[in-house]
Amino acid sequence: MEIIAADMEWQALAQKALSGECLTLDEGLSVLEADNDEVLPLLQAAFKVRKHFYGKKVKLNMIINAKSGLCPEDCGYCSQSIVSTAPVNKYTLLDKDTLLAGAREAMARKAGTYCIVAAGKGPTDKELDQVVDAVREIRETMPLKICACLGILKDEQAERLAEAGVHRYNHNLNTSKANYPSITTTHTYDQRVETVEKVKTYGMSPCSGVIIGMGETNQEIVEMAYALRDIDADSIPINFLNAIPGTPLEHAGRTPSMKALKVLALFRFTCPSKEIRVAGGREVNLRTLQPLSLYAANSLFVGDYLTTAGQEVGTDHQMIEDLGFEIELSAL
């Protein structure tokens, strides 16, 4: 009887999400604190919502680390930050030919979205010129959706990116507002929110997500989901901390695989119609349970991340096929 009652509870949350109602804090906490025995019925309920909006299609995204290891920010999770001693490659913004080659590789990997990422507080005018030049040629020659992630933007920079053809701009909230000062001190949570709102003003689709496993409480995870619902992020990458030696968070433990699945279900219920992406750290946190993540999420990064290795692309393709799902070949 307890199993049946739990199943009905999760199905009720799915119905609530489908009707556009927001979960209460207690309902959100019940998802995160559910017994591990309830994860499969929980995912079944999340899949009901995911299937309603996205069927069995999976969106693939590919990242290129367009500028590496030269960031003045002190984000505790990042191997490229000024406080990190992790051995990472250091180089200025890649030239146009290299960015174009990355776009062609994204297509070879069956990714519909190509993500140009440059660590830093924000782009210089010269860097923006380089990105704009590359984006224009990609838009003219390839059927790719382009996402840029270049840090905090000025109004004129956001306008130029939009005019060049950038479809989406990523700026993650990363953690809760209360937890933010423990993660970085060189910019604020509010500055992150302001950037997301700014890119919406200039017609770019807002992409913003979180990193789970940085000392946040379960209540803060629910609050993070609420915050992304409130700013109406179209695409929500859910990262799970991959603790890198040489960073301030190097000793943080991994998120248990079953907890990671509950987090994905929570975000599906809270932001039901949005693209929920299983992002960085999925390989080391979800481990062998990665296929189950796609019952709540509808998007993946394929290939490597910024400074850490991802799963082999063919393995991701095979995982999607084995689930009976289908890669969405064009994101346009």
Side-chain angles (χ1 to χ4, degrees):
M1 292 296 292
E2 290 181 1
I3 295 175
I4 294 173
D7 189 21
M8 291 177 64
E9 177 185 356
W10 308 136
Q11 290 297 327
L13 293 187
Q15 196 56 48
K16 191 171 185 178
L18 288 170
S19 65
E21 297 179 64
C22 189
L23 271 62
T24 66
L25 175 59
D26 285 344
E27 288 170 334
L29 289 172
S30 74
V31 172
L32 296 178
E33 295 167 1
D35 190 279
N36 286 346
D37 290 347
E38 297 178 26
V39 164
L40 287 180
L42 176 61
L43 287 176
Q44 183 182 32
F47 180 63
K48 182 177 182 179
V49 182
R50 180 243 202 266
K51 189 176 181 182
H52 175 82
F53 290 103
Y54 294 101
K56 292 185 176 182
K57 291 189 175 180
V58 180
K59 299 174 182 287
L60 300 183
N61 300 251
M62 192 196 93
I63 291 174
I64 186 167
N65 192 4
K67 175 186 174 185
S68 179
L70 300 171
C71 186
E73 303 287 277
D74 67 354
C75 304
Y77 53 84
C78 183
S79 59
Q80 301 183 78
S81 79
I82 196 168
V83 296
S84 169
T85 60
V88 299
N89 292 327
K90 295 184 179 182
Y91 51 83
T92 57
L93 195 75
L94 299 173
D95 60 32
K96 184 172 78 169
D97 287 345
T98 306
L99 294 177
L100 291 173
R104 290 190 290 271
E105 178 61 26
M107 293 191 63
R109 295 179 184 183
K110 302 182 181 180
T113 301
Y114 178 49
C115 308
I116 300 173
V117 182
K121 187 145 196 169
T124 65
D125 290 340
K126 180 181 178 182
E127 289 170 341
L128 198 76
D129 288 343
Q130 291 175 254
V131 172
V132 163
D133 193 22
V135 167
R136 284 182 174 145
E137 187 158 340
I138 294 168
R139 287 298 311 272
E140 290 172 0
T141 58
M142 291 174 243
L144 283 171
K145 179 178 283 184
I146 301 173
C147 178
C149 178
L150 310 174
I152 296 170
L153 294 177
K154 302 172 185 175
D155 284 274
E156 60 270 22
Q157 292 175 325
E159 184 176 21
R160 287 192 64 201
L161 288 171
E163 288 177 350
V166 170
H167 299 88
R168 176 176 287 170
Y169 195 84
N170 168 261
H171 204 56
N172 292 331
L173 299 187
N174 286 328
T175 192
S176 69
K177 185 169 185 175
N179 195 42
Y180 210 84
S182 71
I183 302 303
T184 184
T185 64
T186 48
H187 62 268
T188 67
Y189 178 91
D190 288 340
Q191 284 178 297
R192 293 246 163 193
V193 173
E194 288 165 9
T195 297
V196 176
E197 294 294 350
K198 182 173 295 183
V199 300
K200 288 162 59 176
T201 299
Y202 288 97
M204 288 182 284
S205 170
C207 173
S208 189
V210 298
I211 305 173
I212 303 297
M214 299 197 297
E216 70 284 344
T217 65
N218 280 345
Q219 178 167 328
E220 286 175 320
I221 295 176
V222 179
E223 290 169 355
M224 289 148 65
Y226 287 168
L228 290 168
R229 180 184 176 108
D230 289 345
I231 65 173
D232 200 26
D234 291 329
S235 178
I236 302 174
I238 309 296
N239 301 276
F240 298 97
L241 181 68
N242 184 353
I244 299 172
T247 63
L249 290 176
E250 64 179 340
H251 298 300
R254 60 178 287 275
T255 299
S257 303
M258 298 293 265
K259 172 68 174 292
L261 292 172
K262 296 171 194 175
V263 169
L264 292 168
L266 168 70
F267 276 82
R268 176 54 68 201
F269 291 142
T270 309
C271 305
S273 66
K274 303 303 186 178
E275 179 180 338
I276 306 294
R277 184 176 318 117
V278 196
R282 66 177 166 98
E283 296 84 356
V284 297
N285 289 275
L286 283 159
R287 299 198 291 211
T288 59
L289 298 188
Q290 287 184 71
L292 291 177
S293 69
L294 289 176
Y295 284 95
N298 65 294
S299 179
L300 292 174
F301 278 120
V302 287
D304 296 338
Y305 301 98
L306 295 176
T307 63
T308 57
Q311 185 162 273
E312 199 276 323
V313 175
T315 301
D316 280 336
H317 291 174
Q318 189 65 63
M319 176 176 72
I320 293 166
E321 180 182 332
D322 290 346
L323 285 166
F325 290 3
E326 175 187 355
I327 296 171
E328 184 174 294
L329 294 177
S330 176
L332 298 176

